[in-house]
Amino acid sequence: MTHPHLPTTGATVTAIRKIAADHGLEMTVTHDIGADQTSCRASAGVFTIVDPDGSLPHEAFVELSGVPTVSVRVFPEDDAKITVDNVEFHDVPRDSVPAFLRSVYSGLAHTKGRLFPPGQWLIVPLPGDETYKELVAIAALTPWLSRSARIS
């Protein structure tokens, strides 16, 4: 399944805002605009605002209220980092952010563990065959992460 193309950081923030409204969540947004302000542009010179191609990079950091704790950092390079209860998912394509958040808030995201070798994973399925999973430190299991743990 293809995702709707979110061409800009602003479009992604708008999509996140709709999801927050649908789930009754408060959200705060911080915008960083300019090559000297965005996190992936550490090499930009002082007072350098635009990229070499003349574009104005825009990055946003979104925090959503409620359980689980969720934040999204949307990068100008068409990807995002989504953190769910301190579990970080790096390099999520910007177009996948809305589906990822819908999976989390609709209850499709779950944890799965193994006794040997021991490990707990947060699994976030998206429509189609796209699935994200990240290892969860056992000491970092929150009540939300523990609620749907499945041992295999």
Side-chain angles (χ1 to χ4, degrees):
M1 175 176 182
T2 61
H3 303 289
H5 180 62
L6 298 171
T8 65
T9 297
T12 305
V13 171
T14 299
I16 295 170
R17 191 176 309 283
K18 167 119 178 57
I19 292 165
D22 290 348
H23 293 278
L25 304 169
E26 297 291 323
M27 80 179 243
T28 58
V29 183
T30 304
H31 295 276
D32 294 316
I33 299 173
D36 61 337
Q37 299 296 310
T38 58
S39 63
C40 291
R41 303 296 208 296
S43 63
V46 177
F47 306 115
T48 302
I49 304 300
V50 296
D51 281 343
D53 67 359
S55 64
L56 189 64
H58 176 196
E59 179 175 305
F61 180 71
V62 179
E63 291 180 289
L64 297 161
S65 67
V67 176
T69 60
V70 174
S71 66
V72 182
R73 180 165 299 280
V74 184
F75 298 107
E77 292 82 15
D78 295 334
D79 67 333
K81 177 178 87 170
I82 302 174
T83 305
V84 179
D85 266 6
N86 297 317
V87 179
E88 294 182 350
F89 292 83
H90 294 270
D91 303 319
V92 176
R94 180 166 49 204
D95 291 347
S96 297
V97 170
F100 188 105
L101 295 177
R102 282 189 208 97
S103 181
V104 168
Y105 290 117
S106 68
L108 293 174
H110 61 278
T111 56
K112 189 170 186 175
R114 291 190 306 218
L115 293 175
F116 189 80
Q120 192 78 10
W121 296 83
L122 176 55
I123 300 168
V124 182
L126 276 53
D129 293 334
E130 198 173 356
T131 300
Y132 291 89
K133 70 181 203 177
E134 286 294 332
L135 186 61
V136 179
I138 296 298
L141 278 174
T142 64
W144 184 85
L145 288 169
S146 298
R147 73 157 168 69
S148 64
R150 303 173 191 165
I151 303 296
S152 62

